[in-house]
Amino acid sequence: QIMRQKQIRSPLIKTLDYFQRQLEEKDPQQYFAWPVTDQIAPGYSKMIKKPMDFSTMKQKIEDDSYKTLPEYADDFKRMCDNAMTYNRSDSVYFKTAKKLLRGGMKLLSQEKVEKLAPYLK
Ligand SMILES: COc1ccc(C(=O)NC2CCC2)cc1-c1cc(C(C)=O)n2cccnc12
């Protein structure tokens, strides 16, 4: 049988895994853990054309779909923007998205990435 190929994690994948874990911790109620359905959010798929959630991002990391950190940051930003578009500003979802976005941008900020850069080679 084919020997199970040892999972060699590229530096980028290891970095994205690290960021993902940090970001998921900012969503303890797991509102962003799975795709939002029209059942729980009426009219969602009509309003939000490019849905995104942490499980989809995780799958894309595993599939090596992200070639750069900015690509990953774009999906994260879109996930937060979607929540701040569909939900009212006084909702728990809007507020969590705002906190996520602020924390995420700090984490993905230049100086943090520069510190990690040597390991990303
Ligand atoms: C995967 O999405 C979800 C999963 C679980 C829950 C949830 O447990 N909501 C309880 C808090 C009051 C019911 C909410 C959501 C949820 C996320 C969202 C987002 C992210 O917009 N949302 C919007 C309207 C209604 N529900 C939601």
Side-chain angles (χ1 to χ4, degrees):
Q1 86 282 16
I2 301 166
M3 290 289 284
R4 234 185 88 60
Q5 177 72 12
K6 188 180 163 318
Q7 260 283 2
I8 299 159
R9 320 278 286 153
S10 76
L12 178 64
I13 291 186
K14 276 197 281 219
T15 306
L16 295 181
D17 273 344
Y18 165 75
F19 281 143
Q20 179 98 352
R21 275 196 308 277
Q22 300 291 314
L23 296 172
E24 286 175 345
E25 276 173 22
K26 298 176 190 297
D27 172 33
Q29 297 92 340
Q30 298 210 305
Y31 295 143
F32 295 84
W34 310 104
V36 182
T37 61
D38 284 342
Q39 281 71 22
I40 57 173
Y44 193 85
S45 60
K46 287 213 182 11
M47 188 189 287
I48 301 297
K49 290 308 159 202
K50 291 182 144 188
M52 189 44 66
D53 68 281
F54 278 134
S55 72
T56 305
M57 290 163 66
K58 183 110 199 89
Q59 192 55 54
K60 284 177 76 171
I61 294 173
E62 301 304 329
D63 299 345
D64 205 3
S65 304
Y66 295 118
K67 294 305 168 203
T68 65
L69 198 53
E71 274 176 38
Y72 174 83
D74 286 349
D75 271 355
F76 171 71
K77 266 182 277 184
R78 184 170 330 106
M79 179 180 76
C80 299
D81 291 344
N82 288 344
M84 295 165 82
T85 302
Y86 176 84
N87 300 286
R88 291 167 30 133
S89 55
D90 62 350
S91 69
V92 66
Y93 310 115
F94 186 106
K95 290 180 185 153
T96 306
K98 203 156 174 247
K99 220 161 55 65
L100 258 177
L101 189 59
R102 199 176 37 248
M105 286 304 105
K106 247 188 18 242
L107 187 74
L108 297 169
S109 66
Q110 210 34 43
E111 64 266 12
K112 281 274 169 56
V113 173
E114 261 147 27
K115 272 201 201 101
L116 282 163
Y119 307 102
L120 268 176
K121 289 272 174 301

